Structures are given as structure tokens and as C-alpha cells.
């Protein structure tokens, strides 16, 4: 018992020491390696996000690949595609991913009435809740667009992206992978679509390459927390390095 308590105390001190490293912005970095050891790369974090699913055949293949690689991601779902794909939503939750709302039928919210926005978001939120239960299901509006005066009507943070390879247009895994690898830095939010097979191939190649460079794949919520952000409702987040707007 006593030894256990001592170990716990030592661990607490270790955690405290790690938490006190506030000299650099961004996430807490691992302690420096002892002399003679290989240098451990500084912790780098990135969030993969997938819009326009769930879709049987592509989303499940993506989930398999992410699970094999120990990578977490965030899925912004189309409400009308949830029926029949409930098992994919449960997998997302059970396998450590974040689930979010991308409207009921991918409507451009910019310029539409408050009632229509509430219907698009509320109906999708209800569909997600009916499968996953209570929770805060963050929103990404289609095309990332909202009128400035619409933002305050949202009860969750709003999520943009900082790396967009336009995978929906290219439909080419190699090109998408190369574009993302060229642009990505720690704290980025990468936009992809689990609706397309080449995008799934690209996502898994991106995870392989960036994990090799020392990146860890986390959800958007985790990414913001790692950078010390306290997410605010009705504000857009583009990456974890810059604040909301
Ligand atoms: Zn979309």
C-alpha cells in the first residue's frame, strides 16, 4: 500500500513538472531524453476531419484503417445518411473519434432563415443523439460558410479547417496525400471527405507518413484542449494555433 502511495506521489510530481513547462506555446512537450539516447521528437498534434459521411463501404474502411494505426479523427455527419448507418456512428464513438453535425442534407446555410438553420442543425443533432445519446455535437456548416449574424444562434463551437487539399475534386489519393504532407504543421485541422475511396486511401497514407514524422492524430476537441483553448459556442476555429473568430 505504502509503496503504491509513494509511486502515486512520484507520478503526481512528474505530471506537475510536465505541466509547469509553460515556456513554449502549444501542447506540453515530452521531457528531454537522457544523454546518449536518441532524441525523442517533440510532440506534434493534428486533427483529421471527415465531412459528408457516414457512407457504408468507405467510412467503415476508414475506421478499420484508423483503428490499426491508433489514430483518432472527427466526423461531421450528414443527418439524412445516418439511418441505416447507426453501427458506423457507434464505432466512431467506441473507437475514440469525435462526431459532429454537417446539416441534414448539406444545405448552404448562408442566407437562409433562422428557422431553416434550426431545422437543418436540430434534426441532425436529434438523429445523432438517437444513436449516441446526450453530448455536444459540434457543427461544421457546409462550405464552412455562415453569415456573421447566424453564428450566435449556435450552441456549440463551429469548426473550419486550415489544410484543404480539395480531395472531393481531385479524387486522387497520391495528389491529395502530397498536398496535405506539404502543408501540414502541428495544430492544423485537415479537411477530407470519407465519401470517396481515394480520400480514404489518402487519409491512411497521411496518417502513416505523419506518424513517422512524430505526429499524433487527435480529435478536434482534443486538439483545442492540447493548445489550451476553451472552446466557445458560436465561434469558428480554423486551427489550434490561432484563437476563435
Ligand atoms: Zn460537406
Amino acid at each position: 500500500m505504502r509503496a503504491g502511495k509513494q509511486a502515486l506521489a512520484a507520478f503526481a510530481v512528474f505530471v506537475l513538472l510536465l505541466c509547469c513547462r509553460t515556456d513554449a506555446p502549444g501542447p506540453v512537450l515530452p521531457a528531454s531524453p537522457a544523454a546518449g539516447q536518441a532524441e525523442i521528437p517533440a510532440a506534434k498534434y493534428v486533427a483529421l476531419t471527415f465531412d459528408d459521411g457516414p457512407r457504408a463501404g468507405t467510412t467503415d474502411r476508414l475506421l478499420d484503417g484508423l483503428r490499426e494505426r491508433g489514430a483518432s479523427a472527427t466526423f461531421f455527419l450528414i443527418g439524412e445518411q445516418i439511418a441505416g448507418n447507426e453501427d458506423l456512428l457507434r464505432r466512431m464513438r467506441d473507437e475514440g473519434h469525435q462526431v459532429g453535425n454537417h446539416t441534414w442534407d448539406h444545405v448552404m446555410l448562408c442566407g437562409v432563415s433562422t428557422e431553416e438553420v434550426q431545422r437543418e442543425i436540430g434534426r441532425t443533432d436529434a438523429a445523432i443523439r438517437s444513436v449516441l445519446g446526450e453530448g455536444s455535437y459540434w457543427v461544421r456548416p457546409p462550405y464552412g460558410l455562415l453569415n456573421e449574424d447566424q453564428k450566435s444562434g449556435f450552441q456549440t463551437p463551429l469548426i473550419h479547417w486550415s489544410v484543404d487539399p480539395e480531395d472531393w475534386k481531385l479524387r486522387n489519393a497520391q495528389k491529395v496525400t502530397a498536398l496535405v504532407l506539404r502543408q501540414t504543421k502541428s495544430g492544423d485541422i485537415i479537411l477530407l471527405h470519407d465519401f470517396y475511396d481515394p480520400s480514404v486511401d489518402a487519409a491512411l497514407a497521411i496518417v502513416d507518413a505523419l506518424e513517422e514524422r512524430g505526429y499524433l492524430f487527435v480529435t478536434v476537441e482534443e486538439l483545442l484542449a492540447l493548445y489550451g483553448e476553451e472552446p466557445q459556442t458560436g465561434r469558428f476555429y480554423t486551427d489550434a494555433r490561432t484563437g476563435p473568430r
Side-chain angles (χ1 to χ4, degrees):
M1 267 317 266
R2 207 187 147 101
K5 272 184 188 165
Q6 278 174 351
L8 198 66
F11 179 71
V13 169
F14 173 70
V15 168
L16 202 64
L17 283 173
L18 278 182
C19 295
C20 289
R21 288 173 58 98
T22 53
D23 47 322
V28 173
L29 304 175
S32 300
Q37 284 184 339
E39 189 171 338
I40 300 166
K44 292 178 281 192
Y45 299 97
V46 70
L48 273 180
T49 62
F50 297 94
D51 291 5
D52 299 1
R55 181 171 182 259
T58 46
T59 306
D60 31 13
R61 194 162 69 82
L62 174 63
L63 287 169
D64 291 343
L66 293 174
R67 187 172 56 188
E68 281 166 23
R69 290 161 176 80
S72 297
T74 302
F75 293 86
F76 292 100
L77 307 181
I78 296 294
E80 67 178 2
Q81 291 167 206
I82 291 173
N85 287 318
E86 290 86 350
D87 284 349
L88 291 175
L89 269 70
R90 284 188 276 269
R91 275 195 69 183
M92 288 171 189
R93 177 196 58 198
D94 295 347
E95 295 172 18
H97 306 297
Q98 184 179 354
V99 173
N101 184 331
H102 197 49
T103 73
W104 183 257
D105 52 4
H106 210 272
V107 74
M108 160 86 88
L109 295 177
C110 227
V112 310
S113 69
T114 305
E115 295 71 32
E116 178 70 1
V117 172
Q118 283 171 351
R119 196 189 66 82
E120 283 283 335
I121 297 300
R123 203 174 167 197
T124 304
D125 194 65
I128 297 173
R129 280 165 194 269
S130 73
V131 182
L132 301 183
E134 289 304 302
S136 178
Y137 300 106
W138 296 8
V139 172
R140 172 176 280 161
Y143 317 101
L145 293 173
L146 282 181
N147 293 117
E148 195 57 31
D149 62 356
Q150 289 175 317
K151 286 160 56 178
S152 59
F154 285 81
Q155 307 299 310
T156 70
L158 305 165
I159 305 304
H160 262 152
W161 55 85
S162 49
V163 177
D164 176 12
E166 299 196 313
D167 60 314
W168 55 275
K169 198 156 78 180
L170 284 175
R171 311 273 183 96
N172 179 312
Q174 277 188 327
K175 285 183 183 171
V176 169
T177 304
L179 279 168
V180 170
L181 295 184
R182 200 150 58 221
Q183 293 176 33
T184 302
K185 305 177 291 297
S186 186
D188 271 326
I189 298 174
I190 302 170
L191 170 61
L192 292 170
H193 298 77
D194 52 324
F195 200 83
Y196 307 106
D197 271 308
S199 300
V200 173
D201 294 332
L204 300 179
I206 289 163
V207 173
D208 286 339
L210 290 182
E211 281 188 341
E212 210 156 277
R213 296 183 195 173
Y215 280 85
L216 295 169
F217 285 83
V218 295
T219 67
V220 171
E221 188 169 11
E222 290 164 345
L223 185 71
L224 296 181
L226 283 159
Y227 275 78
E229 279 291 340
E230 284 183 29
Q232 298 171 38
T233 61
R235 306 285 301 276
F236 268 112
Y237 292 84
T238 298
D239 57 58
R241 297 178 304 267
T242 50
R245 59 192 171 74

